Amino acid sequence: MIKLIDPFARPISYLRVSVTDRCDFRCTYCMAEHMQFLPKKDLLTLEELDRLCSTFIRLGVEKLRITGGEPLVRRDIMTFFKTIARHLDTGALKELTLTTNGSQLARFAGELAAIGIRRVNVSLDTLDAAKFQAITRWGRLPQVLEGIEAARKSGLRVKINTVALKGFNEEELFPLLDWCASEDHDLTFIEVMPMGEMGEEMRLDQYWPLKDLRARLAERFTLTDLAERSGGPARYVRIEETGQKVGFITPLTHNFCESCNRVRVTCTGELFMCLGQEDNADLRAPLRASPEDTLLEQAIRAAISRKPKGHDFDYSRQSVKGQMSRHMSHTGG
Ligand code: SAM
Ligand code: SF4
C-alpha cells in the first residue's frame, strides 16, 4: 500500500476528524449564540466515520484526533471510540486522542482510558467562573474542572489549551500557569484565528500575539526553546524555574506550514487539506456510493495531491486577510 505523500514531500500521518458540529457551549470566538446546525442526514454516520478513519490509517495515518463541535455530545460516540481503538491494538495507529471542552469528561474519562486513549486536550481559557460563563456563554466551570479531575484520576494525561484573548485572560497568564503546574497538566496557548463571521474589529480587539505573551512570561521566568515537536504546529519552551513545558500555537505569526503532516475531515466528510484554505474534497459521496473503499481511497489520494504549500492568514497592516467564513466548529479545531 503506497502511503499518502503530498506534492511537497510531506507524509500525511495525522488526521483530525470532526464528529459533530454541535456543542453544549457557545464560545464567543468559535460560535454565534444561535447556531443553525446541520441536518442529521448530512453527518457521516458512526459506521461511515469508522470506514473513513480506517482507510486513512491504511494509507499511513498514525495519529488520529477526534474533535468537533464537542465530540463527547455526539450520541453513541463511545461506540465509535471503542471500535476505532482496534487500530491501536494492531499498532497501525500510534495515538488516538480527542479535543474536548471537558463538560462530559466526568462521564466518559474512565471508558476513554480503558480503550487505550492516553491523552486528552481540554480547552480552558480562564479559571474564573464568571469569566468562563461569559466566554463560553453556556458553560459552567465547576463541571469542566470536575471532568478534568476525572480524566486525571483515570490516568489520562491532560493538556490544557488556552486561547490567548487580549483584555480577557491576559491577567490570568500566571494563575493558569501555576494551576497547571500544581495539577501537573501541560499547557498550550493558541492565538485566536479569524474563523466564522465575527466582525473584523472584534478579531483585532481580541488578538493577543503570543510573542507578547511569551515576553510577559520571560519577564518572570527563564525560557528555553525546545526542539521537540508533537506532530502538530505547537512549539514548546521549558520554564526552567518550574520545569513546566508550555506550548505555543501561532498560526498567524509563525509559519509552520513547511512541516505540516495533517489534514482534517469535517463531520459531513469534507476533507480540508489546509485549515486556512477553502479547497476541499467531498469524501461522503464516495463513501456512500459504494460499500467498497476503492472510490474513497481514490478521492483521498486525489485530494492529497493538491494539498497546498501553506495558508494565507495575515493580521498585518491592521486588517484581517485570508479570513475564513467557516466556523472553527465546522472544520474542527
Ligand atoms: N469543543 C472542543 C473544544 O472546545 O476543545 C473541540 C472543538 S474546538 C473548535 C477546538 C479548539 O479550537 C478549542 O481549543 C478552541 O479553543 C479552539 N478555537 C475555536 N475557535 C477558535 C478561534 N477562532 N481561534 C483559535 N482557536 C479557536
Ligand atoms: Fe464548543 Fe469547542 Fe467551539 Fe467552544 S470552542 S463552542 S466548546 S466547539
Side-chain angles (χ1 to χ4, degrees):
M1 177 69 62
I2 301 167
K3 302 275 161 97
L4 295 174
I5 306 216
D6 82 356
F8 304 95
R10 298 170 297 192
I12 305 305
S13 56
Y14 184 165
L15 174 67
R16 295 172 80 109
V17 178
S18 170
V19 294
T20 178
D21 61 334
R22 287 160 204 254
C23 187
D24 51 347
F25 291 2
R26 291 289 182 278
C27 302
T28 54
Y29 48 74
C30 178
M31 289 195 186
E33 184 153 19
H34 302 288
M35 294 287 288
Q36 185 79 43
F37 290 114
L38 295 162
K40 293 248 162 63
K41 67 170 176 34
D42 289 357
L43 299 196
L44 298 186
T45 64
L46 296 180
E47 293 72 23
E48 286 167 343
L49 283 167
D50 187 290
R51 271 180 66 200
L52 182 133
C53 293
S54 299
T55 301
F56 270 101
I57 293 165
R58 223 169 34 247
L59 296 179
V61 160
E62 297 182 336
K63 184 167 170 180
L64 178 61
R65 178 175 294 280
I66 304 304
T67 179
E70 173 47 41
L72 296 180
V73 302
R74 170 116 193 214
R75 183 178 306 171
D76 275 343
I77 194 63
M78 289 314 295
T79 308
F80 167 79
F81 274 115
K82 282 177 194 154
T83 49
I84 205 70
R86 70 187 180 280
H87 299 293
L88 286 173
D89 301 335
T90 65
L93 193 59
K94 303 262 184 309
E95 190 173 37
L96 175 61
T97 52
L98 68 152
T99 300
T100 172
N101 65 25
S103 69
Q104 309 301 315
L105 271 180
R107 267 165 76 198
F108 293 127
E111 281 180 83
L112 291 169
I115 62 165
I117 292 182
R118 292 193 300 270
R119 301 190 303 146
V120 288
N121 286 6
V122 183
S123 305
L124 179 66
D125 303 327
T126 171
L127 289 169
D128 176 304
K131 280 164 78 176
F132 186 85
Q133 197 168 336
I135 197 84
T136 61
R137 293 200 189 98
W138 295 4
R140 299 286 173 275
L141 182 65
Q143 187 182 346
V144 169
L145 294 179
E146 215 177 283
I148 293 173
E149 185 56 20
R152 195 179 52 175
K153 283 199 175 126
S154 307
L156 294 171
R157 182 105 199 120
V158 174
K159 189 178 88 181
I160 301 296
N161 280 342
T162 301
V163 177
L165 296 162
K166 195 151 126 192
F168 178 77
N169 55 11
E170 280 171 292
E171 295 315 313
E172 287 195 77
L173 176 59
F174 294 107
L176 265 167
L177 202 68
D178 291 346
W179 178 73
C180 286
S182 68
E183 302 286 313
D184 193 25
H185 301 319
D186 293 324
L187 174 61
T188 289
F189 291 99
I190 309 175
E191 222 159 55
V192 73
M193 285 186 263
M195 312 294 283
E197 300 102 32
M198 276 148 273
E200 184 166 309
E201 213 173 295
M202 182 176 171
R203 282 286 164 216
L204 289 167
D205 269 5
Q206 287 184 324
Y207 182 48
W208 181 18
L210 291 193
K211 69 171 174 17
D212 294 357
L213 186 154
R214 191 193 153 115
R216 285 272 296 278
L217 281 180
E219 285 169 14
R220 199 175 294 187
F221 296 118
T222 315
L223 310 181
T224 306
D225 284 306
L226 301 177
E228 154 192 356
R229 305 294 299 267
S230 61
R235 309 249 162 189
Y236 295 95
V237 298
R238 187 173 51 239
I239 300 190
E240 295 301 342
E241 287 79 357
T242 64
Q244 261 173 299
K245 201 175 75 171
V246 176
F248 300 98
I249 299 183
T250 54
L252 302 156
T253 53
H254 195 110
N255 205 336
F256 53 78
C257 302
E258 71 279 0
S259 59
C260 180
N261 59 355
R262 61 177 58 199
V263 292
R264 297 171 155 81
V265 176
T266 68
C267 54
T268 55
E270 296 158 299
L271 170 61
F272 281 88
M273 288 70 85
C274 171
L275 180 63
Q277 303 278 358
E278 296 285 4
D279 186 26
N280 66 85
D282 174 26
L283 300 182
R284 190 180 56 194
L287 262 169
R288 292 189 176 168
S290 153
E292 305 294 322
D293 294 331
T294 319
L295 291 177
L296 174 64
E297 193 185 312
Q298 280 168 3
I300 294 173
R301 286 195 189 279
I304 298 301
S305 74
R306 31 174 235 271
K307 182 169 159 66
K309 198 167 180 192
H311 64 66
D312 300 322
F313 287 143
D314 183 6
Y315 272 112
S316 60
R317 288 181 289 145
Q318 291 302 297
S319 73
V320 184
K321 295 249 161 41
Q323 176 151 352
M324 306 297 300
S325 58
R326 300 194 303 277
H327 282 272
M328 195 71 158
S329 54
H330 183 73
T331 332

